[in-house]
Amino acid sequence: LVSEATSKQSEDNLRSPICCIMGHVDTGKTKLLDCIRGTNVQEGEAGGITQQIGATYFPAENIRERTKELKADAKLKVPGLLVIDTPGHESFTNLRSRGSGLCDIAILVVDIMHGLEPQTIESLNLLKMRNTEFIVALNKVDRLYGWKVCRNAPIVKAMKQQSKDLQNEFNMRLTQIITQFKEQGLNTELYYKNKEMGETFSIVPTSAISGEGIPDLLLLLVQWTQKTMVEKLTYSSEMQCTVLEVKVVEGHGTTIDVVLVNGVLHEGDQIVGPIVTSIRALLTPHPMKELRVKGTYLHHKKIKAAMGIKITAQGLEHAIAGTGLYVVGPDDDIEDVKDAAMEDMKTVMSRIDKS
Ligand code: GDP
């Protein structure tokens, strides 16, 4: 009885899982994010009108809405999903090799027309090294000859609408790709046929253009993490925060974009990186449509993990992407916190030197 109560309690206290997107260039990582988000960063970025915080938060209600056609009764226990969306970014490579526990799960994007490519293998090796769970998004299914669009439909439903020829071509390509994964020492299987999740990695066919399979991908991400990572996802008040990017933003000076993995940040908190300063403002984009408008951040008095946050403060030009951010608590000795920050910075710098 006691253990039941405890597990109930911890379920109520789960933070959002953090997910990153990896894969070869041009497989559709950016497009997939756009599709999930319902925005168009690709075009926006080209026009230079967008600004990013490096992480997008999907509240549970949004995920519920997007997945309702799958009729999954299982309840969502996590508050949402935080997706790190700087896949091609310099500092991300730094973060990746860091082996920090930043991402709880990854989406590995593979182009169904191309199969495994050099950077797919590179990503796989990083995932293996870190022991990170991942789900394969087998993207661009709409490019199979004669694809009938079923916008945003669950994949099984969409597949049923397709011709026998198309289904055969799909199966042939899928089998080849499963073989390629096997050559890398990994078992993979279509997610709805996968009876051994954990041993066998799941494949979700998707189209980032017409949205087929996106509900499946979202639901699988959330259900899998909340089922198998309860301990890791149990909210802890111990702060864990990583700098994603250091950048100048008009009207705000030098800012840092961080991922708050655990704990709480408050306006006015004294933070320690390479510098000691106080948080002037805690900013997030507007949920789900953050990339539309310029200069419209939401201000927060405090923010609880997990979340992507833009921090403004003095002296941030000395901050370094990939390093941890430390908060001086009421019982902390500032010198101890400085030492910890310095250690962390040295590790990151030596890694940059080596690469
Ligand atoms: P990234 O380099 O992995 O971020 O790839 P992008 O998201 O920039 O996509 C590369 C190209 O493939 C772009 O021209 C996209 O429009 C296109 N693309 C991405 N996903 C899909 C898809 O699911 N179907 C089709 N037909 N094209 C896609």
Side-chain angles (χ1 to χ4, degrees):
L1 201 70
V2 171
S3 73
E4 213 170 272
T6 320
S7 79
K8 174 82 182 65
Q9 196 179 27
S10 59
E11 274 176 11
D12 289 342
N13 203 15
L14 296 184
R15 64 169 174 82
S16 302
I18 302 174
C19 170
C20 60
I21 304 198
M22 301 174 84
H24 195 78
V25 65
D26 275 350
T27 50
K29 298 181 292 294
T30 315
K31 201 78 199 162
L32 209 57
L33 267 162
D34 276 354
C35 184
I36 298 177
R37 219 166 8 205
T39 56
N40 200 338
V41 194
Q42 244 191 358
E43 282 164 27
E45 273 179 351
I49 55 154
T50 61
Q51 51 189 331
Q52 261 180 288
I53 222 161
T56 305
Y57 180 66
F58 301 94
E61 312 91 77
N62 187 270
I63 297 171
R64 206 169 289 123
E65 177 64 30
R66 296 289 294 275
T67 58
K68 63 175 185 234
E69 247 197 285
L70 284 166
K71 300 205 171 29
D73 320 313
K75 77 174 210 270
L76 300 185
K77 296 166 191 159
V78 290
L81 180 70
L82 187 70
V83 181
I84 310 273
D85 50 16
T86 48
H89 202 274
E90 198 82 31
S91 67
F92 191 73
T93 317
N94 185 10
L95 284 173
R96 281 190 312 201
S97 52
R98 204 166 176 236
S100 69
L102 195 64
C103 286
D104 302 304
I105 191 162
I107 301 173
L108 180 65
V109 190
V110 174
D111 183 333
I112 191 168
M113 307 310 271
H114 294 168
L116 270 60
E117 299 176 85
Q119 286 164 284
T120 323
I121 314 241
E122 233 170 76
S123 308
L124 267 179
N125 289 336
L126 283 167
L127 291 167
K128 280 189 210 163
M129 196 172 76
R130 281 192 315 199
N131 234 343
T132 305
E133 286 288 338
F134 65 92
I135 294 170
V136 178
L138 191 56
N139 196 34
K140 306 198 185 182
V141 289
D142 63 289
R143 290 197 50 201
L144 295 169
Y145 186 72
W147 181 263
K148 293 196 195 74
V149 169
C150 308
R151 210 159 282 283
N152 302 320
I155 198 63
V156 173
K157 182 181 171 190
M159 218 37 112
K160 281 194 186 132
Q161 313 295 314
Q162 311 302 325
S163 68
K164 261 267 129 354
D165 280 353
L166 189 144
Q167 291 186 16
N168 287 339
E169 194 196 338
F170 170 79
N171 285 324
M172 188 198 71
R173 289 184 184 276
L174 175 71
T175 308
Q176 279 173 359
I177 289 168
I178 289 177
T179 307
Q180 291 179 330
F181 273 113
K182 194 148 268 157
E183 286 163 6
Q184 298 299 318
L186 293 167
N187 292 326
T188 52
E189 179 57 283
L190 270 183
Y191 90 93
Y192 49 87
K193 291 187 180 167
N194 190 355
K195 302 273 183 293
E196 308 172 307
M197 274 197 71
E199 318 245 320
T200 301
F201 293 91
S202 285
I203 299 177
V204 182
T206 56
S207 166
I209 299 282
S210 39
E212 292 91 346
I214 303 296
D216 311 61
L217 186 62
L218 280 172
L219 194 64
L220 192 62
L221 276 171
V222 170
Q223 284 189 335
W224 179 242
T225 48
Q226 71 185 15
K227 184 173 160 208
T228 64
M229 301 179 192
V230 172
E231 203 171 328
K232 196 173 179 191
L233 295 181
T234 297
Y235 174 80
S236 137
S237 57
E238 193 169 319
M239 243 262 306
Q240 192 191 339
C241 186
T242 303
V243 179
L244 275 185
E245 213 171 332
V246 184
K247 64 181 173 209
V248 178
V249 174
E250 220 183 296
H252 292 288
T254 303
T255 68
I256 50 174
D257 293 352
V258 303
V259 174
L260 181 62
V261 179
N262 239 318
V264 186
L265 280 176
H266 307 82
E267 217 180 70
D269 273 351
Q270 199 174 28
I271 50 173
V272 181
I275 33 84
V276 181
T277 182
S278 296
I279 297 179
R280 191 192 298 142
L282 286 171
L283 309 170
T284 65
H286 289 267
M288 304 310 299
K289 52 179 176 204
E290 69 270 41
L291 300 157
R292 283 285 173 217
V293 211
K294 190 161 184 168
T296 51
Y297 290 106
L298 288 174
H299 285 249
H300 303 263
K301 286 273 168 244
K302 67 174 198 181
I303 297 182
K304 191 177 167 185
M307 192 61 77
I309 309 166
K310 181 180 283 300
I311 294 177
T312 73
Q314 296 213 314
L316 290 180
E317 56 279 4
H318 301 293
I320 297 168
T323 57
L325 196 68
Y326 297 77
V327 166
V328 186
D331 305 325
D332 292 334
D333 180 340
I334 189 160
E335 292 308 319
D336 292 345
V337 182
K338 272 189 196 163
D339 287 347
M342 202 47 89
E343 259 325 292
D344 190 63
M345 202 179 73
K346 273 190 207 147
T347 329
V348 173
M349 293 315 282
S350 71
R351 208 170 289 119
I352 293 172
D353 287 344
K354 274 184 213 139
S355 59

